[in-house]
Amino acid sequence: MALLDVKHLTVDFNTDQGVVHAVRDISFSVGESEAVGIVGESGSGKSVTMYSVMGLLAANGGIREGSVVFGGKEITEKAYPSRKAYQAEMSKIRGNEMSMIFQDPMTFLNPVVRIGKQITEVIKNHNKVSDAQAKEQAVALMGQVGIPSPHERFGQYPHEFSGGMRQRIIIAMALANSPRLIIADEPTTALDVTIQAQVLDLIKDMKEKMNSSVIMITHDLGVVASLCDRIIIMYGGKIVEAGDAREIFYQPRHPYTMGLLKCVHNPEKKDKLTPIPGSPPDLLKPPAGCPFVDRCSQAMRICKLRMPEAETYSETHTCSCWLEEAGKRKGENHG
Amino acid sequence: MAEALLTVDHVKTYFDVTKGLFSKKQIVKAVDDVSFSIGEGETYGLVGESGCGKSTLGRTLVQIYPVTGGKIYYKGRDIDTLKKTDRKEFTREVQMIFQDPYASLNPRMTVGEIIKEPMEIHKILDTSQQREERAAELLKLVGLKPDHIRRYPHEFSGGQRQRISIARTLALNPRFIICDEPISALDVSIQAQIINLLKEIQSDLKISYLFVAHDLSMVNYISDRIGVMYLGHLVEEGTADQVYSSPLHPYTRALLSAVPIPDPDVAKARRKIHLEGELPTPLNPPAGCPFKGRCPSATEECGKVRPEMKDYGGHKVACFHAGPSH
Ligand SMILES: Nc1ncnc2c1ncn2[C@@H]1O[C@H](COP(=O)(O)OP(=O)(O)OP(=O)(O)O)[C@@H](O)[C@H]1O
Ligand SMILES: Nc1ncnc2c1ncn2[C@@H]1O[C@H](COP(=O)(O)OP(=O)(O)O)[C@@H](O)[C@H]1O
Ligand code: SF4
Ligand code: SF4
Ligand SMILES: [Mg+2]
Ligand SMILES: [Mg+2]
């Protein structure tokens, strides 16, 4: 059984301009000790998906439909007698069985509390340990994530750390209780490539050591290429394609995935960049059919009218695009 | 190379960040003794980690910051001693495009006003009508619609706003544009749009670019030549191919090996060079080679004096232990 199973997740936000349909009926799962990448344009619904899983949606948003099952247990609010009961359960799970690494470490670190104290808090929240034991664990964790002289650094404040070191502290906190699932939301987007490489290696090492599952959210295909077993491509609040890493990179099926691969410069290949024209759909009034229709060079009349169903190509590979159906019909007509 | 359009000659840009009157003098050597030149219609890529001095150098070139030492020549003339008409020409012909397409456009002006403003300041074209027509033409050139002219910046996406700032820059008929991370705030699919737009404009209008970025693969794609900066210094320079395919400086090698490759088989097979430690600060930088604290090949010699830039047939490197023979 999968560790995380998301089914028909649909998330809306109420805004002054109307309802934003941020995530529209998506289903996916993450296995034990599996690394899954979620890739997509900004605004495609990657973060909202994960905030829904973690129970951290903004107040104006909510899960309209669907279920999230984690370790065999339903963890959407509807399964709990009250909002309070739900929140109590989620705060037991978060930081313990499931933890999150954010893009900007400062959204998570308290600038006026010493780093060491922030790490020991996470440990003490979920474990019965003495102050001394918590400190010992925290210093060991700081060492593990590559903070030089962790003993001296323990008493320092966040502003005394560089961006890369702060991100490592966040990782240390995320790992403190050996979570079964680590959700990393663009953990390296704000970092330099050299520091990014260090942080990605760290996440990889830690995952292997603790056998955790990882969900890596990113817009950078390079980041998921070496880290992830499986990759999910999101566009306009929908999952448009999913497959194992080799299927996505070497046999992409969806025109958006193919387009995205042509937008990144692979120095090993020297191909010309072919941009995808246009820009993503407005989720205040998402298209009835395929979300990619306005930018797709192969769009047909049906694409605007109806959302294509997901076709299955292998145990891991699925794609939602009308081209498959069109191909079949052509075959019929000729044969 | 044809005659240089812009020459940077031993330029230094220092900032005095001393706090109190009686505290020790503290100097940030953001750009420290950098020399290079850029030809007509050429793209020079400048790469390096955050804080290494790329933006400071760009801002020094457009005289936002004064030089602390050294000289900058535009069309062979020292930009600090330009006569009135030459100065006008310089401020019109040398322009800068910034990273953040949100912050760099005035939210209260329409797109048309934004594009016309620099033409008014520099008295390009005679009537408002002509400028309006030119603005519409420029919008078409950057891939927007002429009827976008009456809209406001907030009605556009990030990529579209970057197109608007490019149109505004082109309104001045520039010869030289400093692009300071013009794509890093944009989505991957939009980045490629902007890069290709910049390339098209260049081949049509023969503009030179200084292209600042920390995304090495994009820099390699757009540049003719690349300079690598570390802690205020230029440590390597060569054609895009030289720097990318046969990097000489240990820092360039590490930087290249850190770039994530969008190809799982290649990525898994690749050997990474791990850079230990964090970025040092240009506040009281170390003596000797600026890279010595993180360099896997450092020897005792490296800590004593700073290695000079050596030229190996157009491929230059500043390192005691690098060069084609090493
Ligand atoms: N006005 C200033 N006063 C003091 N120090 C400054 C000033 N401007 C820049 N610096 C310092 O100079 C150094 C170089 O900064 P610069 O902005 O040029 O870096 P950069 O290479 O463009 O980095 P990034 O990739 O993050 O944009 C940094 O240490 C920075 O803190
Ligand atoms: N609190 C909110 N209120 C209204 N809209 C929101 C809110 N949070 C996210 N959205 C919208 O939901 C969509 C998906 O956002 P997000 O998941 O953050 O995208 P990304 O894929 O970049 O992580 C976007 O259109 C975004 O503007
Ligand atoms: S469904 Fe139609 S518009 Fe969507 S990706 Fe496929 S061909 Fe393009
Ligand atoms: S001079 Fe020495 S420290 Fe500097 S890059 Fe070369 S080998 Fe490394
Ligand atoms: Mg996000
Ligand atoms: Mg900069």
Side-chain angles (χ1 to χ4, degrees), chain B residues 166-186:
Chain B
I166 292 172
R168 175 181 57 185
T169 304
L170 294 178
L172 293 173
N173 307 316
R175 309 271 351 124
F176 182 83
I177 303 178
I178 295 156
C179 310
D180 191 355
E181 312 230 19
I183 56 168
S184 39
L186 306 175

Side-chain angles (χ1 to χ4, degrees), chain A residues 41-42 162 165 168 192-194 196-198 201 219 222-223 225-226 246 249-250 263-268 270-273 275-278 295, chain B residues 49-50 187-190 192-193 195-196 214 217-218 220-221 241 244 255 258 260-268 272 274-275 277-279 294:
Chain A
E41 215 105 329
S42 78
S162 72
M165 278 158 91
R168 278 168 214 233
D192 268 305
V193 280
T194 51
Q196 163 171 289
Q198 292 174 356
D201 283 349
H219 61 260
V223 167
S226 65
R246 301 195 82 251
F249 280 94
Y250 305 133
C263 287
V264 289
H265 176 49
N266 183 348
E268 312 281 319
K270 295 239 162 178
D271 297 340
K272 197 176 172 301
L273 292 184
I276 305 173
R295 303 174 75 186
Chain B
E49 285 160 300
S50 186
D187 258 310
V188 178
S189 75
I190 312 294
Q193 292 178 1
I195 289 286
N196 281 5
H214 61 257
S217 40
M218 274 301 185
N220 176 36
Y221 178 71
D241 262 350
Y244 214 81
L255 204 56
I261 294 198
D263 184 328
D265 289 351
V266 176
K268 278 181 186 132
K272 272 199 201 144
H274 284 267
L275 269 193
E278 302 285 327
L279 309 185
R294 299 165 82 195

Side-chain angles (χ1 to χ4, degrees), chain A residues 116 119-120 122-124 126-145 150-151 154 172 175-178:
Chain A
I119 304 177
T120 49
V122 177
I123 298 172
K124 288 200 303 198
H126 298 283
N127 300 283
K128 287 205 170 56
V129 290
S130 69
D131 284 359
Q133 281 168 323
K135 175 166 184 185
E136 195 183 316
Q137 278 182 32
V139 170
L141 269 169
M142 287 171 73
Q144 267 178 37
V145 298
H151 267 288
F154 187 85
L175 300 176
N177 300 309
S178 310

Side-chain angles (χ1 to χ4, degrees), chain B residues 97-101 104-105 157-167 180-183 186 194 197:
Chain B
I97 299 173
F98 296 93
Q99 167 171 357
D100 188 353
S104 60
L105 301 175
S157 68
Q160 289 175 321
R161 288 185 221 202
Q162 198 57 288
R163 288 173 191 270
I164 296 168
S165 53
I166 292 172
D180 191 355
E181 312 230 19
I183 56 168
L186 306 175
I194 299 296
L197 173 64

Side-chain angles (χ1 to χ4, degrees), chain A residues 192, chain B residues 15 17 28-31 48-57 65 99 180-181 212 214 281-282:
Chain A
D192 268 305
Chain B
F15 299 104
V17 291
V28 172
K29 298 185 174 179
V31 174
E49 285 160 300
S50 186
C52 71
K54 308 180 295 292
S55 299
T56 304
L57 181 59
Y65 298 141
Q99 167 171 357
D180 191 355
E181 312 230 19
V212 174
H214 61 257
T281 74

Side-chain angles (χ1 to χ4, degrees), chain B residues 249-251 289-293 295-299 301-302 307 318-322:
Chain B
H249 199 281
Y251 174 64
C289 174
F291 189 50
K292 71 165 191 287
C295 181
S297 330
T299 59
E301 184 187 12
C302 307
C319 167
F320 292 120
H321 305 294

